Amino acid sequence: MVPNRNRPYRLVIALLILSLGFIWQGCARFRPLPEEPQLTIYGVSSAADPLVARWAPVFLTYGHADTYNRVGRPSVAVEGGNQKISVDPDKPVVYVMERHFTTSRAAYTNLIYRIHFPEVPYSLVPFNLTAGRNVGLMIVVTLDDQKRPVLVTSVHTCGCYKAFTPTDYLPAQAFPEGWRLDRPLEMYGEKLPPRLSFGLVDHPKLLVHLRPALHRVMDLQVVSAESLQGPRFVPTTMAVAPMEDLLHLPADSGTTGFFYDAGWRRGFVKGSVKPFEMVFMSWISLDLFVGSDKIYADPTVWGNRFYTSLKPWRRDDSDMWDFARFLAYWGWHL
């Protein structure tokens, strides 16, 4: 029998078609959510650092009866003599980091808010490409030298599903070429506003709508703080902790980190394995752990870049740690 030399190419093409199919399904438009008489919102106490509290997002959750839709606290338990890292849905916390960066035009401050959920549940219909445990989301609020928000960046803690939303304080010349203000921004099946207006609202709060199960940002709004006190909302206060606390989770033997600190998984969240993304996306990105949640930290220390592009040759340019370079790569001119 003559060997079929085209078989490897057919296999690659089949994998490509299959992967693109799953990506398409993961980015397809979603059905409207069922109406809920009350919605749980997560916010921070006014007792937090004034700058952190002023611009902290409020997270609006749907399907709160399901524990995987609740903001939680990374915690440590012992099972069978081994430590197990999980996210406790009954103790919400937001981890905060403040960083500064400078471009050729101005100096800025980033307020980085990080939250975690117990999981993205496994499901085939609908297919949850990002299914896995200990998943997270970051909202980055970029402030100008007058401490006004000019840009909101949302991204999952795997570096996936990045989205930018400018505000009315950002000059038009800082926008990427071709940015449209007359229509919503289509992002991974969601529709986000093309710009947020903080200057038109008294006591403004950034309201982040989270899609149930997937925890994707499905809408952003600037609303007055007073409007969130109505009967439809069930307020839940998140504790505020520095991002460094993720390196020192309380454990029976002292503390342990939320991230692996050695080996080939150094810098990844413990227990965060995304099998579907590993199968369908790793060969495109040349990264076996492409969908795994990770630390947001200096890659020269941790050896783990928080990249936001699947192009392997763009991992440095798209790394969010160097925020000025990251913005320039994605077309912003702050």
Side-chain angles (χ1 to χ4, degrees):
M1 179 179 292
V2 177
N4 186 348
R5 293 186 177 89
N6 292 325
R7 185 172 299 170
Y9 302 102
R10 291 175 179 174
L11 178 61
V12 169
I13 293 172
L15 284 172
L16 178 61
I17 294 173
L18 189 60
S19 297
L20 291 176
F22 281 119
I23 294 170
W24 174 84
Q25 187 173 358
C27 300
R29 293 293 303 277
F30 298 102
R31 295 179 180 178
L33 298 177
E35 189 69 22
E36 297 184 46
Q38 286 190 310
L39 296 168
T40 298
I41 55 175
Y42 291 89
V44 305
S45 168
S46 58
D49 174 88
L51 190 64
V52 169
R54 181 178 183 185
W55 301 119
V58 176
F59 297 97
L60 189 156
T61 60
Y62 296 82
H64 193 257
D66 295 312
T67 56
Y68 52 71
N69 289 325
R70 302 177 190 175
V71 178
R73 177 188 293 272
S75 58
V76 184
V78 177
E79 294 185 3
N82 298 316
Q83 288 184 344
K84 179 182 179 181
I85 305 294
S86 61
V87 175
D88 185 343
D90 297 321
K91 298 178 180 178
V93 62
V94 57
Y95 295 92
V96 181
M97 175 187 290
E98 180 177 332
R99 298 195 72 224
H100 306 276
F101 69 96
T102 303
T103 69
S104 60
R105 297 172 177 82
Y108 300 92
T109 299
N110 271 350
L111 297 177
I112 303 149
Y113 301 89
R114 178 172 183 147
I115 59 174
H116 276 271
F117 302 87
E119 64 175 331
V120 169
Y122 287 89
S123 173
L124 293 178
V125 182
F127 179 67
N128 289 348
L129 178 68
T130 58
R133 296 176 47 241
N134 300 342
V135 297
L137 174 73
M138 291 200 315
I139 301 293
V140 182
V141 180
T142 300
L143 309 177
D144 63 12
D145 57 3
Q146 299 180 55
K147 295 297 184 283
R148 302 176 305 180
V150 294
L151 185 68
V152 174
T153 306
S154 61
V155 64
H156 287 229
T157 53
C158 55
C160 314
Y161 302 109
K162 157 207 52 65
F164 300 100
T165 309
T167 81
D168 50 351
Y169 292 123
L170 186 67
Q173 59 267 28
F175 286 39
E177 183 178 352
W179 192 268
R180 298 283 298 270
L181 294 175
D182 59 344
R183 63 186 184 191
L185 181 64
E186 299 274 356
M187 295 297 293
Y188 312 109
E190 307 289 3
K191 284 189 174 182
L192 301 181
R195 182 166 60 184
L196 294 168
S197 296
F198 280 87
L200 301 178
V201 179
D202 293 330
H203 309 113
K205 298 299 294 184
L206 175 64
L207 185 63
V208 181
H209 296 247
L210 299 178
R211 182 164 294 282
L214 299 178
H215 318 306
R216 292 188 200 170
V217 175
M218 56 183 286
D219 196 10
L220 293 169
Q221 292 178 285
V222 177
V223 301
S224 67
E226 292 76 15
S227 69
L228 298 175
Q229 299 173 4
R232 191 177 182 216
F233 299 115
V234 180
T236 300
T237 301
M238 297 181 292
V240 178
M243 201 83 77
E244 292 81 4
D245 279 11
L246 287 170
L247 303 178
H248 308 286
L249 303 180
D252 291 341
S253 56
T255 63
T256 190
F258 191 44
F259 314 97
Y260 294 104
D261 57 9
W264 64 336
R265 300 214 63 193
R266 178 176 167 83
F268 287 103
V269 170
K270 294 176 180 176
S272 173
V273 177
K274 306 287 184 61
F276 294 143
E277 289 194 83
M278 183 182 296
V279 170
F280 297 112
M281 303 294 294
S282 61
W283 69 281
I284 298 175
S285 62
L286 301 183
D287 182 0
L288 185 62
F289 303 114
V290 59
S292 296
D293 297 78
K294 62 182 70 172
I295 194 170
Y296 181 69
D298 189 343
T300 64
V301 175
W302 282 85
N304 197 332
R305 288 167 292 188
F306 200 96
Y307 68 84
T308 55
S309 170
L310 286 177
K311 299 174 181 177
W313 59 94
R314 291 299 191 182
R315 287 181 184 169
D316 287 334
D317 292 334
S318 69
D319 184 353
M320 282 184 65
W321 186 253
D322 187 338
F323 210 79
R325 181 174 60 178
F326 160 76
L327 289 177
Y329 172 70
W330 290 109
W332 295 88
H333 309 288
L334 272 68

